[in-house]
Amino acid sequence: MARNVEFDEQLAVSKAMDVFWRKGYNGTTMRDLTEAMGINSSSLYNTIGDKHELFIRSIKHYTESRMKAAIKQLEPIKSPIKAIEKFILSSVYVITNEPNSCLAIKTTFEVATTDEQVQKIIKADNDFTYNLLNGLVERAIEKEEIKVSQDASMLTDYIINHFSGWHESFIIHHDKARIKNMATFLIKQLNQ
Amino acid sequence: MARNVEFDEQLAVSKAMDVFWRKGYNGTTMRDLTEAMGINSSSLYNTIGDKHELFIRSIKHYTESRMKAAIKQLEPIKSPIKAIEKFILSSVYVITNEPNSCLAIKTTFEVATTDEQVQKIIKADNDFTYNLLNGLVERAIEKEEIKVSQDASMLTDYIINHFSGWHESFIIHHDKARIKNMATFLIKQLNQ
DNA sequence: CTTAATCTGAAACAAATGTTTTAAAAATAA
DNA sequence: TTATTTTTAAAACATTTGTTTCAGATTAAG
């Protein structure tokens, strides 16, 4: 029959994701993308689709990678409260060491309000984190590792809620200590 | 000599701000702006300047209005802890009732990293809120209205930090109760 | 009223945008 | 090898972008 597609789609999407991550959806041009992906726009339109479709794939790639990483990281930890602490502290590490702040949060504030497809992906990502953490919180309350509140679902929201503020703070102040101190305080609150 | 400028600059900036607020910096076109402002682009360039300058004026207008409103609202409250609670609860009200989420936060995530001028304005706004709240927290600790921690500056950061997560949550879930429950828990934590 | 200044509106501008076309190159199956 | 199909690269496409030009309208001062 005929020749095969030459480029690695996963790799291409991952490179596109990097550009969207730095520049946002509206700040990224098709030429930014094709250049970073090392691919001609005709090939891009023939395989993946238009700019919007590429963005959808990019944020899906981002959220799915994060989900896998979170599961892999927390699975071996036996104590629920230890797993929660690990989750919080590794978030702090990512926030204070990665070059860009979270693509999901940036996307939420830039386009989630007006783009239904994006909104769904972001919500799915959020629900995943919620469920993962909520399981841990419920077990931690059962085991009396957490005594501060009996309301697991509120507490789960409460913990997750800190992350975007930490991102915001780090963009504005570039001060790791501020984030670490807040995280330490949050963990201390949970432990009492 | 010659005729005067015909349009009200403050009103024009305020109308431009509304557009940037909805669509973001990169999502807004000059035609969006001139249409909303009811003004021709030549007049705009003759008086205020280009798109970027108009954006700068817009976010300054936004942050300055908020500062004035915050001072006016908190001034009459005698008890520091009551003022802190009022600040938190009125933030919840704004987050769960305004059509768009905070322009300062949206701007932080969209362009603050790459635009130094914007970064400065955002930082100034943040510092203002920090100082306002920090004064209250210090007095509340002195008066032993707050006992949970003696570290006023960390506690101030900790409180402010909640707001962007609440915005994010509301964009994703549109669930007022979730935000209110978190706020109630935060206030309870402070009170003990 | 005249003069001089400058503001305004419509149109024009070049450059950049997202997307499509075209023709040639490449790879597989017969 | 040849025929057939698909991929690719470069250029072209129509719009949209941010910005400027220019002639005429409008105003204040002499």
Side-chain angles (χ1 to χ4, degrees):
Chain A
M1 297 283 279
R3 61 189 286 206
N4 291 330
V5 183
E6 211 167 70
F7 78 108
D8 178 345
E9 197 171 303
Q10 278 299 90
L11 184 66
V13 168
S14 157
K15 284 178 178 171
M17 183 195 76
D18 285 334
V19 182
F20 282 128
W21 200 349
R22 265 186 292 115
K23 307 189 137 198
Y25 180 70
N26 287 312
T28 298
T29 71
M30 287 303 288
R31 277 150 187 88
D32 291 335
L33 292 166
T34 50
E35 196 184 339
M37 297 163 85
I39 188 189
N40 192 275
S41 61
S42 79
S43 302
L44 182 53
Y45 277 85
N46 270 336
T47 49
I48 296 175
D50 63 8
K51 184 188 177 185
H52 187 262
E53 178 60 29
L54 186 52
F55 184 65
I56 295 294
R57 302 254 187 128
S58 294
I59 57 175
K60 274 187 180 159
H61 179 74
Y62 181 82
T63 57
E64 280 161 17
S65 315
R66 281 207 314 183
M67 289 180 199
K68 283 179 196 158
I71 290 174
K72 192 177 168 187
Q73 189 175 49
L74 301 184
E75 218 167 26
I77 304 175
K78 292 284 176 294
S79 153
I81 186 71
K82 288 292 166 208
I84 294 168
E85 287 176 17
K86 175 78 184 174
F87 188 72
I88 292 170
L89 292 175
S90 85
S91 297
V92 171
Y93 182 83
V94 169
I95 290 166
T96 58
N97 286 283
E98 279 205 354
N100 317 304
S101 54
C102 174
L103 176 59
I105 295 174
K106 291 178 78 166
T107 300
T108 302
F109 285 109
E110 192 193 352
V111 290
T113 325
T114 49
D115 188 323
E116 214 171 311
Q117 243 185 107
V118 168
Q119 161 94 20
K120 270 187 189 167
I121 296 164
I122 294 289
K123 182 164 165 17
D125 180 57
N126 215 264
D127 288 346
F128 168 84
T129 308
Y130 175 89
N131 289 327
L132 181 73
L133 204 59
N134 194 239
L136 296 171
V137 171
E138 281 176 345
R139 285 168 47 211
I141 290 174
E142 261 175 42
K143 286 185 145 187
E144 295 189 335
E145 292 177 342
I146 288 180
K147 277 165 275 180
V148 66
S149 166
Q150 295 288 102
D151 186 345
S153 75
M154 185 282 298
L155 216 48
T156 303
D157 272 342
Y158 187 81
I159 295 166
I160 292 175
N161 192 75
H162 286 76
F163 303 146
S164 66
W166 292 345
H167 278 288
E168 187 199 6
S169 168
F170 195 69
I171 292 172
I172 297 173
H173 304 294
H174 295 284
D175 185 344
K176 294 188 184 188
R178 278 173 100 143
I179 319 289
K180 285 178 185 166
N181 290 339
M182 286 188 267
T184 304
F185 183 71
L186 170 62
I187 290 172
K188 207 179 77 189
Q189 291 303 104
L190 295 176
N191 276 317
Q192 74 186 42
Chain B
M1 296 285 281
R3 59 188 288 206
N4 289 330
V5 184
E6 210 168 71
F7 77 107
D8 178 344
E9 198 172 302
Q10 277 300 91
L11 184 65
V13 167
S14 157
K15 283 177 177 171
M17 183 195 75
D18 285 334
V19 183
F20 283 127
W21 200 349
R22 265 186 293 114
K23 307 188 140 199
Y25 180 70
N26 287 312
T28 299
T29 71
M30 288 303 290
R31 274 149 188 91
D32 290 336
L33 292 165
T34 51
E35 195 184 340
M37 297 163 86
I39 187 187
N40 192 275
S41 60
S42 79
S43 302
L44 182 54
Y45 278 85
N46 271 334
T47 49
I48 295 174
D50 62 9
K51 183 188 178 187
H52 188 262
E53 178 60 29
L54 186 52
F55 184 65
I56 294 294
R57 302 256 186 128
S58 294
I59 57 174
K60 274 187 181 159
H61 180 74
Y62 181 82
T63 56
E64 279 160 17
S65 315
R66 280 207 315 181
M67 290 181 199
K68 283 179 196 159
I71 291 174
K72 192 177 168 187
Q73 188 175 48
L74 301 185
E75 215 166 29
I77 304 174
K78 292 284 176 294
S79 153
I81 187 71
K82 288 290 166 208
I84 295 167
E85 287 176 19
K86 176 77 185 174
F87 188 71
I88 293 170
L89 292 174
S90 84
S91 297
V92 170
Y93 182 83
V94 169
I95 289 166
T96 57
N97 286 284
E98 279 205 353
N100 316 305
S101 54
C102 175
L103 176 59
I105 294 174
K106 291 178 79 165
T107 300
T108 302
F109 284 108
E110 191 193 354
V111 288
T113 324
T114 48
D115 187 323
E116 214 171 313
Q117 244 185 109
V118 168
Q119 161 93 19
K120 270 187 188 168
I121 295 164
I122 294 289
K123 181 163 167 19
D125 180 57
N126 216 264
D127 289 345
F128 169 84
T129 309
Y130 175 88
N131 290 326
L132 181 72
L133 205 59
N134 193 238
L136 296 170
V137 171
E138 281 177 346
R139 285 168 47 209
I141 290 174
E142 260 175 43
K143 285 183 145 188
E144 295 188 335
E145 291 177 344
I146 288 180
K147 277 164 278 180
V148 67
S149 166
Q150 295 288 102
D151 186 344
S153 74
M154 186 281 298
L155 216 48
T156 304
D157 271 343
Y158 188 82
I159 295 167
I160 292 175
N161 191 77
H162 286 76
F163 302 145
S164 65
W166 292 346
H167 278 289
E168 188 199 5
S169 168
F170 195 70
I171 292 173
I172 297 173
H173 305 294
H174 295 285
D175 184 344
K176 293 189 185 189
R178 277 173 102 142
I179 319 288
K180 284 179 186 164
N181 290 340
M182 287 187 265
T184 305
F185 183 70
L186 170 62
I187 290 171
K188 207 179 77 188
Q189 292 301 106
L190 295 177
N191 276 316
Q192 75 186 38

